[in-house]
Amino acid sequence: MLTSLLAALTLATAPVEAASPQKPAAPAAAAAASSAKADPDLELAKKAALEWLALLDSGRFEASFDEAALSFQKVQKKPDWAKGLSGARGQVGKFLSRAFLNDEIRTNLPNLPPGKYITVRFKTVFAKYATASESVTLVRDGKRGFRTIAYFLG
């Protein structure tokens, strides 16, 4: 149902793919993941993602555009964003609940400059779609703090 909506919900110029199931981490990878969890930016990004999602949950789609990363605002038009998101969210119905799944730090994403990108994933329940997942990718946007550059609803 929502596969066709992903294009309308992308805040970046290229898709940010969700992590696929992985094999158990090797010791070096596990150590890196452990040190990443100690990164205070993860909590800041999660807080920013939840605040931004609250705008979507309340139907404030134009405000969500205003609160997105400036790099996104340069490549997307506010009316197009609001229209696409309104249609997508209309199909899933009223927001009911959201639970944190995981987060991930990456330094390289397709068609974006190197940087620190944090993706925060949630299991979300909507009135018409009880098994949704949401993925919000954020980047530090100067003095504005962490701001959304991509949103996926699937």
Side-chain angles (χ1 to χ4, degrees):
M1 171 172 119
L2 295 174
T3 305
S4 63
L5 301 175
L6 291 180
L9 301 178
T10 302
L11 283 173
T13 57
V16 178
E17 296 181 19
S20 58
Q22 299 176 357
K23 297 177 184 175
S34 174
S35 66
K37 291 296 178 196
D39 188 327
D41 284 347
L42 290 173
E43 256 330 289
L44 294 173
K46 181 179 174 184
K47 181 180 184 293
L50 288 168
E51 290 171 355
W52 187 82
L53 287 167
L55 295 173
L56 303 187
D57 298 339
S58 64
R60 298 180 59 211
F61 305 131
E62 289 192 1
S64 73
F65 178 94
D66 295 336
E67 293 301 317
L70 295 175
S71 59
F72 161 67
Q73 294 175 12
K74 292 178 183 177
V75 299
Q76 176 79 14
K77 294 180 182 174
K78 186 189 293 190
D80 295 339
W81 167 251
K83 182 180 177 183
L85 193 55
S86 176
R89 280 297 192 100
Q91 287 188 25
V92 297
K94 182 181 175 186
F95 163 77
L96 299 176
S97 67
R98 179 176 290 118
F100 173 77
L101 287 176
N102 60 40
D103 49 29
E104 175 183 16
I105 298 173
R106 292 181 282 177
T107 56
N108 291 296
L109 293 176
N111 298 323
L112 293 172
K116 186 175 190 178
Y117 299 96
I118 299 177
T119 300
V120 186
R121 295 180 190 89
F122 301 92
K123 179 182 186 289
T124 307
V125 177
F126 294 98
K128 299 178 188 175
Y129 192 40
T131 59
S133 60
E134 291 178 296
S135 175
V136 182
T137 300
L138 305 102
V139 65
R140 189 175 297 279
D141 198 26
K143 292 181 180 180
R144 298 175 75 218
F146 280 99
R147 300 296 169 141
T148 301
I149 61 162
Y151 171 68
F152 289 94
L153 171 60

